Amino acid sequence: MGGVTSSMAAKLAFFPPNPPSYKLVKEQETGLLLLYPFPHRENVEVLKLPTRRGTEIVAMYVRHPMAKSTVLYSHGNAADIGQMYKLFVELSIHLRVHLMGYDYSGYGQSSGKPSEHNTYADIQAAYKCLEENYGTKQEDVILYGQSVGSGPTLDLAARLPRLRAVVLHSPILSGLRVLHPVKRTYWFDIYKNIDKIPLVKCPVLIIHGTADGVVDCSHGKQLWELCQEKFEPLWLKGGNHCNLELYPEYLRHLRKFLSTVEKSPAQRLSLRRSVDKVEQPRRSTDCFEVPRKSTDKRDKPRKSTDRTEKLKFHEHKFNNVDKFEKLRMSFDQTERSRSVEYHDKSRRSIDVQFERARKSIDWLDRIQAG
């Protein structure tokens, strides 16, 4: 039965580049391993790691002098670390992290054949290397899984209760669910992420493109709903399965995530409370305002957005020109500054309604864009 599952995984999930995009060479003078054709970099170390299933995998470790976190990156099903080399180096620089990437068994210059259970052994070997070779603590590790890489990432994350964080990039609910939206988990399914993500105790960021034609965005959204500790997700409008790194929002959101998870537990708890409000967008369209007495958060503020037209329409009805001019100038100043000032009753009525309406509409647009 296990052989059938492994065979199915190999046929449906794994497409290692053939030939591999790099060669493994040893520098004669130093004995260092290098990824050819990439030049040697002082902050990049290439390793060969044994796994508990008898294979030997190739990994690369990128150092950053100001790093507070270490990212363990599990790549997608049609790439190897030669193709990921430049991205790994750039992520280390822009995010200020140490980063380890590795090739699954049967990928690149790693020995063996790719299989679901081999990938579990592969990521465990990479994590063990971080602990033993680099003294990395579990509390400083961020697991990053892209596409099929979300499988070994969540398998390991479910076993490590003190992880700093997890990032899921275009993740899958399970292997079978990529092919067909089944309602239950079958014994022959692979990478049952839908069953494992509720066991992850650390903050989870999910990134998915809304136009992903390989793994539908609904996979990422359903996994986000199942997270214990959710972080604001990134749904990239128009993004597909292989181009999310090209969006400016990608790095910006990752930096925001890192700055949050690297904070103290108390600060993270405060953020979590604010994100909990995001989970109920239909009940509250303006999650970050002080709660209002009005239960009609969508329709009621719209009256204030029409206020300017009403004032213009009824301008000729005002006998007291000075009174009208004062009211109009107050409203115009609100639009220019976009800040709420509480100096008198008439101005408060206009300013507060206008600001609430603007925030509510902006928030709805963000929700619909996701």
Side-chain angles (χ1 to χ4, degrees), residues 39-304:
H40 173 63
R41 298 175 65 104
E42 291 295 332
N43 66 322
V44 176
E45 186 175 358
V46 180
L47 309 152
K48 294 179 75 173
L49 309 174
T51 76
R52 60 178 172 80
R53 291 177 65 87
T55 64
E56 191 173 53
I57 63 171
V58 179
M60 59 178 287
Y61 182 78
V62 188
R63 300 176 184 270
H64 192 285
M66 300 177 65
K68 296 180 180 179
S69 301
T70 299
V71 173
L72 178 52
Y73 196 116
S74 301
H75 60 65
N77 71 339
D80 61 27
I81 60 173
Q83 295 173 341
M84 303 296 291
Y85 184 93
K86 291 182 180 179
L87 176 64
F88 287 168
V89 171
E90 288 176 3
L91 285 177
S92 175
I93 293 171
H94 291 296
L95 300 180
R96 297 184 177 183
V97 296
H98 303 312
L99 188 147
M100 173 169 279
Y102 66 98
D103 267 338
Y104 310 124
S105 298
Y107 275 70
Q109 300 299 332
S110 296
S111 67
K113 294 183 179 180
S115 73
E116 177 188 11
H117 290 285
N118 273 353
T119 62
Y120 296 156
D122 298 338
I123 193 173
Q124 288 172 10
Y127 177 74
K128 181 180 179 182
C129 174
L130 287 176
E131 283 190 319
E132 296 181 356
N133 291 25
Y134 300 103
T136 307
K137 297 179 180 180
Q138 184 181 148
E139 294 84 353
D140 296 330
V141 173
I142 298 173
L143 299 183
Y144 189 119
Q146 179 178 7
S147 189
V148 163
S150 61
T153 292
L154 284 176
D155 185 76
L156 182 60
R159 304 168 189 268
L160 300 177
R162 301 189 308 279
L163 278 176
R164 173 160 284 177
V166 168
V167 178
L168 300 178
H169 176 146
S170 306
I172 63 174
L173 285 166
S174 71
L176 186 58
R177 287 175 173 86
V178 175
L179 304 176
H180 188 75
V182 295
K183 300 297 183 182
R184 52 168 291 191
T185 299
Y186 293 89
W187 66 267
F188 54 84
D189 202 353
I190 60 173
Y191 296 130
K192 305 176 184 71
N193 293 340
I194 189 173
D195 299 327
K196 295 177 182 178
I197 198 165
L199 305 176
V200 177
K201 301 182 184 301
C202 63
V204 178
L205 164 63
I206 297 183
I207 305 171
H208 217 122
T210 61
D212 193 326
V214 178
V215 179
D216 190 80
C217 190
S218 60
H219 286 243
K221 291 183 176 181
Q222 191 170 342
L223 287 172
W224 187 77
E225 292 292 342
L226 295 170
C227 293
Q228 279 194 37
E229 189 169 347
K230 301 174 176 66
F231 186 83
E232 179 187 354
L234 179 59
W235 313 128
L236 285 168
K237 188 174 182 180
N240 62 38
H241 196 65
C242 302
N243 70 348
L244 304 189
E245 300 90 343
L246 303 179
Y247 285 73
E249 300 94 325
Y250 171 78
L251 272 180
R252 283 203 298 265
H253 208 74
L254 280 175
R255 287 195 193 100
K256 179 180 177 182
F257 181 58
L258 260 69
S259 69
T260 300
V261 298
E262 289 178 347
K263 291 177 180 177
S264 68
Q267 291 173 311
R268 283 169 49 182
L269 179 60
S270 175
L271 178 76
R272 183 177 178 181
R273 288 171 178 168
S274 68
V275 173
D276 285 342
K277 297 179 181 180
V278 181
E279 293 183 51
Q280 305 295 335
R282 295 188 178 182
R283 290 194 300 174
S284 175
T285 59
D286 192 357
C287 300
F288 298 102
E289 279 192 12
V290 177
R292 323 194 269 277
K293 294 181 180 180
S294 170
T295 58
D296 187 0
K297 296 181 174 63
R298 295 186 179 185
D299 294 330
K300 191 168 184 178
R302 290 177 184 169
K303 296 178 181 179
S304 65

